[in-house]
Protein backbone atom coordinates (compact mmCIF):
# COMPACT_ATOMS: atom_id res chain seq x y z
CA UNK A 1 0.00 0.00 0.00
CA UNK A 2 1.54 3.38 -0.97
CA UNK A 3 2.16 5.90 1.78
CA UNK A 4 3.90 9.18 2.54
CA UNK A 5 6.79 9.22 4.98
CA UNK A 6 6.86 12.89 5.93
CA UNK A 7 3.31 13.57 7.14
CA UNK A 8 3.38 15.41 10.46
CA UNK A 9 -0.32 16.27 10.84
CA UNK A 10 -3.70 15.04 9.63
CA UNK A 11 -6.41 17.66 9.20
CA UNK A 12 -10.02 16.77 8.51
CA UNK A 13 -13.05 18.47 7.08
CA UNK A 14 -15.97 18.15 9.50
CA UNK A 15 -19.36 17.81 7.80
CA UNK A 16 -19.63 14.81 5.50
CA UNK A 17 -16.14 13.63 6.47
CA UNK A 18 -16.25 13.12 10.25
CA UNK A 19 -19.85 14.09 11.03
CA UNK A 20 -22.86 12.69 9.19
CA UNK A 21 -24.90 15.73 8.18
CA UNK A 22 -27.79 13.45 7.21
CA UNK A 23 -28.12 12.32 10.82
CA UNK A 24 -29.88 15.57 11.76
CA UNK A 25 -32.84 14.72 9.54
CA UNK A 26 -32.56 11.03 10.44
CA UNK A 27 -33.38 11.89 14.05
CA UNK A 28 -36.77 13.16 12.84
CA UNK A 29 -37.34 10.89 9.86
CA UNK A 30 -40.77 9.77 11.07
CA UNK A 31 -42.04 13.37 11.05
CA UNK A 32 -40.78 14.01 7.51
CA UNK A 33 -41.93 10.68 6.10
CA UNK A 34 -41.05 9.74 2.55
CA UNK A 35 -39.58 13.18 1.92
CA UNK A 36 -36.83 12.78 4.54
CA UNK A 37 -33.95 11.92 2.21
CA UNK A 38 -34.85 14.57 -0.38
CA UNK A 39 -35.30 17.10 2.42
CA UNK A 40 -31.84 16.37 3.82
CA UNK A 41 -30.25 16.55 0.36
CA UNK A 42 -31.80 19.94 -0.41
CA UNK A 43 -30.85 21.34 3.00
CA UNK A 44 -27.23 20.34 2.40
CA UNK A 45 -27.21 21.68 -1.17
CA UNK A 46 -28.55 25.09 -0.17
CA UNK A 47 -26.20 25.24 2.81
CA UNK A 48 -23.18 24.85 0.53
CA UNK A 49 -24.58 27.15 -2.16
CA UNK A 50 -25.07 29.91 0.40
CA UNK A 51 -21.44 29.65 1.57
CA UNK A 52 -20.18 30.06 -1.99
CA UNK A 53 -22.63 32.83 -2.85
CA UNK A 54 -21.93 34.79 0.33
CA UNK A 55 -18.20 34.54 -0.35
CA UNK A 56 -18.65 35.87 -3.88
CA UNK A 57 -20.97 38.62 -2.64
CA UNK A 58 -18.59 39.58 0.20
CA UNK A 59 -21.54 39.21 2.58
CA UNK A 60 -20.21 36.78 5.17
CA UNK A 61 -22.40 35.27 7.87
CA UNK A 62 -21.32 32.39 10.06
CA UNK A 63 -22.25 28.79 9.30
CA UNK A 64 -24.88 28.72 12.03
CA UNK A 65 -26.79 31.47 10.23
CA UNK A 66 -26.21 29.87 6.84
CA UNK A 67 -27.43 26.49 8.10
CA UNK A 68 -30.62 28.07 9.44
CA UNK A 69 -31.20 30.03 6.23
CA UNK A 70 -30.79 26.84 4.20
CA UNK A 71 -33.19 25.03 6.53
CA UNK A 72 -35.80 27.76 6.15
CA UNK A 73 -35.50 27.55 2.37
CA UNK A 74 -35.94 23.77 2.53
CA UNK A 75 -38.93 23.92 4.86
CA UNK A 76 -40.63 26.36 2.50
CA UNK A 77 -39.72 24.25 -0.55
CA UNK A 78 -41.49 21.28 1.02
CA UNK A 79 -44.43 23.36 2.23
CA UNK A 80 -43.71 22.65 5.88
CA UNK A 81 -44.80 25.17 8.52
CA UNK A 82 -43.83 23.68 11.88
CA UNK A 83 -41.77 25.77 14.28
CA UNK A 84 -41.30 22.83 16.62
CA UNK A 85 -39.82 20.71 13.86
CA UNK A 86 -37.58 23.58 12.79
CA UNK A 87 -36.22 23.95 16.32
CA UNK A 88 -35.67 20.20 16.58
CA UNK A 89 -33.85 19.99 13.25
CA UNK A 90 -31.51 22.89 13.89
CA UNK A 91 -30.74 21.58 17.37
CA UNK A 92 -30.01 18.15 15.88
CA UNK A 93 -27.30 19.76 13.77
CA UNK A 94 -25.35 20.36 16.97
CA UNK A 95 -25.49 16.64 17.83
CA UNK A 96 -24.57 14.90 14.60
CA UNK A 97 -23.47 11.28 14.56
CA UNK A 98 -19.92 10.45 13.50
CA UNK A 99 -19.44 7.98 10.68
CA UNK A 100 -18.57 4.44 11.83
CA UNK A 101 -15.00 4.69 10.48
CA UNK A 102 -14.03 7.78 12.50
CA UNK A 103 -13.18 6.83 16.09
CA UNK A 104 -10.87 3.88 15.43
CA UNK A 105 -9.04 5.82 12.72
CA UNK A 106 -8.45 8.80 15.01
CA UNK A 107 -7.22 6.52 17.77
CA UNK A 108 -4.66 4.93 15.42
CA UNK A 109 -3.36 8.33 14.40
CA UNK A 110 -3.07 9.47 18.01
CA UNK A 111 -1.22 6.29 18.96
CA UNK A 112 1.19 6.98 16.09
CA UNK A 113 1.87 10.46 17.51
CA UNK A 114 0.30 12.30 14.57
CA UNK A 115 -1.18 15.73 15.28
CA UNK A 116 -4.83 15.94 14.35
CA UNK A 117 -7.14 18.82 13.56
CA UNK A 118 -10.45 19.87 12.06
CA UNK A 119 -10.63 22.64 9.45
CA UNK A 120 -14.25 23.45 8.74
CA UNK A 121 -16.83 25.91 7.49
CA UNK A 122 -18.58 25.37 10.81
CA UNK A 123 -18.72 28.15 13.38
CA UNK A 124 -16.66 27.65 16.57
CA UNK A 125 -19.84 27.00 18.55
CA UNK A 126 -21.08 24.37 16.09
CA UNK A 127 -17.74 22.59 15.93
CA UNK A 128 -17.30 22.52 19.68
CA UNK A 129 -20.81 21.12 20.09
CA UNK A 130 -20.22 18.45 17.43
CA UNK A 131 -16.86 17.35 18.82
CA UNK A 132 -18.18 17.21 22.39
CA UNK A 133 -21.38 15.39 21.41
CA UNK A 134 -19.38 12.81 19.46
CA UNK A 135 -16.94 12.39 22.38
CA UNK A 136 -13.85 12.76 20.19
CA UNK A 137 -12.36 15.78 21.95
CA UNK A 138 -9.40 13.75 23.29
CA UNK A 139 -8.58 12.56 19.76
CA UNK A 140 -8.59 16.00 18.10
CA UNK A 141 -5.73 18.37 18.92
CA UNK A 142 -6.95 21.46 17.04
CA UNK A 143 -10.25 22.82 15.74
CA UNK A 144 -10.13 25.67 13.21
CA UNK A 145 -13.14 27.51 11.85
CA UNK A 146 -13.34 29.66 8.74
CA UNK A 147 -14.52 32.39 11.10
CA UNK A 148 -10.83 32.98 11.82
CA UNK A 149 -10.42 34.31 8.26
CA UNK A 150 -13.99 35.42 7.49
CA UNK A 151 -14.51 33.55 4.22
CA UNK A 152 -15.64 30.05 3.26
CA UNK A 153 -13.90 27.17 1.57
CA UNK A 154 -12.49 26.78 -1.03
CA UNK A 155 -10.87 30.20 -0.59
CA UNK A 156 -7.09 29.59 -0.21
CA UNK A 157 -7.01 31.62 3.01
CA UNK A 158 -8.94 28.86 4.76
CA UNK A 159 -6.42 26.12 3.96
CA UNK A 160 -3.49 28.43 4.70
CA UNK A 161 -4.95 28.78 8.20
CA UNK A 162 -4.04 25.17 8.99
CA UNK A 163 -0.54 25.62 7.60
CA UNK A 164 0.04 28.76 9.65
CA UNK A 165 -1.45 27.38 12.85
CA UNK A 166 0.46 24.09 12.67
CA UNK A 167 3.71 25.77 11.69
CA UNK A 168 4.68 23.01 9.24
CA UNK A 169 4.95 23.07 5.43
CA UNK A 170 1.76 22.38 3.48
CA UNK A 171 3.36 19.30 1.95
CA UNK A 172 3.69 17.72 5.40
CA UNK A 173 -0.04 18.05 6.16
CA UNK A 174 -2.51 15.42 5.00
CA UNK A 175 -5.95 16.92 4.48
CA UNK A 176 -8.95 14.62 4.31
CA UNK A 177 -12.37 15.54 2.95
CA UNK A 178 -15.34 13.60 1.62
CA UNK A 179 -16.39 16.66 -0.39
CA UNK A 180 -14.77 16.55 -3.83
CA UNK A 181 -14.74 20.34 -4.22
CA UNK A 182 -13.10 20.74 -0.78
CA UNK A 183 -10.43 18.16 -1.62
CA UNK A 184 -9.65 20.11 -4.79
CA UNK A 185 -9.50 23.37 -2.82
CA UNK A 186 -6.95 21.94 -0.41
CA UNK A 187 -4.87 20.43 -3.23
CA UNK A 188 -4.87 23.83 -4.92
CA UNK A 189 -3.10 25.21 -1.84
CA UNK A 190 -0.37 22.60 -1.76
CA UNK A 191 -1.62 20.31 1.00
CA UNK A 192 -1.32 16.55 0.51
CA UNK A 193 -4.94 15.54 0.01
CA UNK A 194 -6.77 12.28 0.54
CA UNK A 195 -10.25 12.38 -0.93
CA UNK A 196 -12.55 10.16 1.14
CA UNK A 197 -15.03 9.35 -1.60
CA UNK A 198 -17.66 7.83 0.67
CA UNK A 199 -20.47 9.15 -1.56
CA UNK A 200 -19.16 7.69 -4.83
CA UNK A 201 -18.85 11.12 -6.41
CA UNK A 202 -17.23 11.79 -9.75
CA UNK A 203 -13.96 13.69 -9.77
CA UNK A 204 -14.19 17.42 -10.26
CA UNK A 205 -13.01 19.09 -13.47
CA UNK A 206 -10.99 21.79 -11.75
CA UNK A 207 -7.35 22.93 -11.85
CA UNK A 208 -6.10 20.77 -8.94
CA UNK A 209 -6.61 17.13 -8.02
CA UNK A 210 -6.31 15.17 -4.76
CA UNK A 211 -3.21 13.03 -4.27
CA UNK A 212 -5.19 9.94 -3.33
CA UNK A 213 -8.71 8.57 -3.20
CA UNK A 214 -10.06 6.15 -0.60
CA UNK A 215 -13.57 4.89 0.13
CA UNK A 216 -13.41 4.92 3.91
CA UNK A 217 -11.35 6.50 6.67
CA UNK A 218 -10.56 2.95 7.79
CA UNK A 219 -8.00 2.98 4.97
CA UNK A 220 -6.26 6.18 6.03
CA UNK A 221 -3.78 5.05 8.74
CA UNK A 222 -2.46 2.23 6.57
CA UNK A 223 -2.31 4.43 3.50
CA UNK A 224 -0.20 6.96 5.42
CA UNK A 225 2.00 4.23 6.84
CA UNK A 226 0.83 4.49 10.45
Amino acid sequence: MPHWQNIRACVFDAYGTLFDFNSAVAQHRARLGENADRFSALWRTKQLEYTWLRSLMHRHADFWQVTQDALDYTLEAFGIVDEGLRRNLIDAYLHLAVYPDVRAMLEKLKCAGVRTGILSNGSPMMLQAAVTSAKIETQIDHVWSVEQVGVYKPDPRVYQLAVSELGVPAGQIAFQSANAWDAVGAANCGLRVVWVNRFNQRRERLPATPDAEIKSLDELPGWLGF
Side-chain angles (χ1 to χ4, degrees):
M1 179 179 290
H3 57 266
W4 303 319
Q5 296 289 349
N6 63 342
I7 296 301
R8 296 170 59 187
C10 284
V11 176
F12 299 86
D13 170 58
Y15 303 109
T17 304
L18 299 179
F19 305 112
D20 182 0
F21 54 80
N22 287 313
S23 66
V25 167
Q27 294 177 47
H28 302 284
R29 177 174 294 275
R31 296 163 70 182
L32 289 163
E34 63 182 12
N35 290 326
D37 290 339
R38 291 192 299 118
F39 186 101
S40 189
L42 181 58
W43 187 6
R44 175 62 171 174
T45 296
K46 296 307 295 187
Q47 182 190 52
L48 292 176
E49 286 179 358
Y50 286 165
T51 64
W52 300 326
L53 290 169
R54 280 186 172 275
S55 292
L56 288 168
M57 295 166 65
H58 296 176
R59 294 294 299 273
H60 185 77
D62 73 17
F63 204 56
W64 187 235
Q65 182 63 54
V66 166
T67 300
Q68 293 183 76
D69 290 342
L71 175 58
D72 289 336
Y73 178 100
T74 305
L75 287 165
E76 184 175 342
F78 281 85
I80 298 172
V81 181
D82 185 335
E83 281 299 318
L85 177 60
R86 183 193 185 280
R87 286 193 301 271
N88 293 154
L89 286 169
I90 199 62
D91 180 68
Y93 218 90
L94 298 177
H95 304 90
L96 298 176
V98 291
Y99 290 102
D101 54 5
V102 170
R103 289 192 177 89
M105 174 275 302
L106 289 175
E107 190 60 32
K108 288 180 182 178
L109 295 182
K110 291 296 288 183
C111 288
V114 180
R115 296 166 69 184
T116 58
I118 291 174
L119 178 65
S120 173
N121 278 341
S123 70
M125 178 276 291
M126 294 175 73
L127 293 172
Q128 184 59 55
V131 168
T132 301
S133 178
K135 296 181 171 59
I136 59 171
E137 57 264 58
T138 61
Q139 298 171 309
I140 297 292
D141 297 318
H142 309 281
V143 179
W144 300 295
S145 165
V146 298
E147 290 307 301
Q148 292 171 251
V149 291
V151 68
Y152 286 108
K153 297 176 180 180
D155 189 290
R157 286 171 287 179
V158 176
Y159 306 102
Q160 182 59 40
L161 176 63
V163 177
S164 300
E165 291 284 327
L166 286 167
V168 301
Q172 295 181 4
I173 300 171
F175 179 80
Q176 288 65 231
S177 180
N179 299 292
W181 59 269
D182 186 24
V184 168
N188 183 57
C189 293
L191 279 72
R192 306 299 298 273
V193 179
V194 179
W195 177 25
V196 189
N197 191 9
R198 61 167 84 250
F199 305 119
N200 295 314
Q201 297 173 302
R202 297 189 183 277
R203 68 178 180 85
E204 300 289 1
R205 270 60 175 181
L206 290 168
T209 58
D211 296 276
E213 177 182 344
I214 59 178
K215 294 295 184 182
S216 166
L217 284 169
D218 289 331
E219 302 173 51
L220 182 65
W223 205 97
L224 295 177
F226 300 133

